[in-house]
Amino acid sequence: MIHNGIDYPYIDKILLSEEQIEEIVKRLSAQISADYSNGDHRLVLLCILKGSVVFMGDLMKHISIPVEIDFMRVSSYVGGTKSSGNINIILDLHREDLRESDILIVEDIIDSGKTLSYLSRYLKLKGARSVRTCTLLDKPSRREVSFMPDYVGCEIPDEFVVGYGLDYAERYRALPYVGILKPEVYTKK
Ligand code: IMP
Ligand code: MG
């Protein structure tokens, strides 16, 4: 596929263009700014590494109220395109002020729902003042545990997507758009 004069032979088609992503980011950041604007919030955007790093960077620039940022890294994928369902915390959150913190988890995509449902419970148990979730993409048809995110950029069909932070085997994160990966990329040996 050719996009802006560049050949992306491993991409089937673009699901969200740069312009569509920008619109989503502006809509979500306006909602978040309004919802947390009453002044007694210590809003912490919690980026879930690595997939959310690009989305988080754009989102935080458009939020008009004071925010702090923090990071966690978890893994649920055993490699490939299937989630293992076991969530491993690779980088934990360490904050002295968690009881005064309103945590907004920023995630790239929800698939089975296991990562965000686990992380929300984990952060509440750790004592966060509040925990909400914001995801760029949601594949509701793939849910294995019931989970409703608070902010959703876009619902997408059951396709494996890459770009704008999302990877397949650590590749393709740097694409400026979200694209559907050609299945032969992950089925060929
Ligand atoms: P869940 O725990 O099954 O909801 O998995 C969420 C995680 O799976 C996301 O943070 C992504 O890292 C990964 N994931 C799910 N679907 C995709 C996809 O289509 N492309 C890339 N990563 C994905
Ligand atoms: Mg992820």
Side-chain angles (χ1 to χ4, degrees):
M1 193 211 53
I2 311 274
H3 176 67
N4 288 342
I6 302 171
D7 189 15
Y8 299 95
Y10 39 82
I11 297 294
D12 241 346
K13 68 168 192 181
I14 293 185
L15 203 62
L16 291 180
S17 66
E18 289 98 313
E19 293 76 21
Q20 288 170 309
I21 293 172
E22 192 183 332
E23 242 173 69
I24 290 171
V25 166
K26 286 185 177 159
R27 170 172 59 79
L28 293 177
S29 53
Q31 260 176 40
I32 293 165
S33 304
D35 291 353
Y36 287 90
S37 66
N38 78 7
D40 67 338
H41 290 287
R42 185 181 193 111
L43 178 56
V44 178
L45 300 180
L46 179 60
C47 176
I48 307 306
L49 296 170
K50 303 175 192 172
S52 307
V53 76
V54 184
F55 176 43
M56 168 97 164
D58 280 347
L59 191 71
M60 61 190 270
K61 284 187 284 185
H62 289 92
I63 293 180
S64 59
I65 56 171
V67 293
E68 297 181 25
I69 61 169
D70 230 313
F71 299 87
M72 278 184 80
R73 185 162 170 216
V74 298
S75 76
S76 67
Y77 269 43
V78 261
T81 62
K82 284 251 175 338
S83 170
S84 72
N86 299 319
I87 316 299
N88 296 313
I89 295 179
I90 297 167
L91 175 69
D92 204 347
L93 177 67
H94 300 285
R95 293 183 72 89
E96 299 290 316
D97 62 352
L98 202 58
R99 289 197 180 277
E100 290 84 54
S101 299
D102 294 292
I103 304 286
L104 180 59
I105 305 175
V106 178
E107 177 63 306
D108 51 359
I109 188 165
I110 308 181
D111 188 59
S112 70
K114 288 177 180 170
T115 304
L116 276 190
S117 105
Y118 175 85
L119 275 179
S120 304
R121 262 182 295 132
Y122 176 76
L123 292 165
K124 280 175 201 154
L125 280 172
K126 253 172 108 90
R129 188 175 103 140
S130 71
V131 180
R132 287 190 190 167
T133 55
C134 173
T135 185
L136 175 67
L137 304 171
D138 188 4
K139 293 186 202 172
S141 66
R142 298 261 307 174
R143 218 51 116 249
E144 291 173 36
V145 296
S146 96
F147 183 80
M148 289 282 285
D150 297 284
Y151 303 94
V152 179
C154 186
E155 291 192 354
I156 65 167
D158 181 11
E159 305 268 13
F160 197 80
V161 294
V162 294
Y164 198 68
L166 292 115
D167 72 309
Y168 167 66
E170 295 299 328
R171 299 186 66 183
Y172 316 115
R173 292 191 196 276
L175 302 179
Y177 53 79
V178 175
I180 298 177
L181 194 60
K182 285 189 179 161
E184 60 253 39
V185 176
Y186 50 85
T187 49
K188 82 172 171 221
K189 299 220 171 72

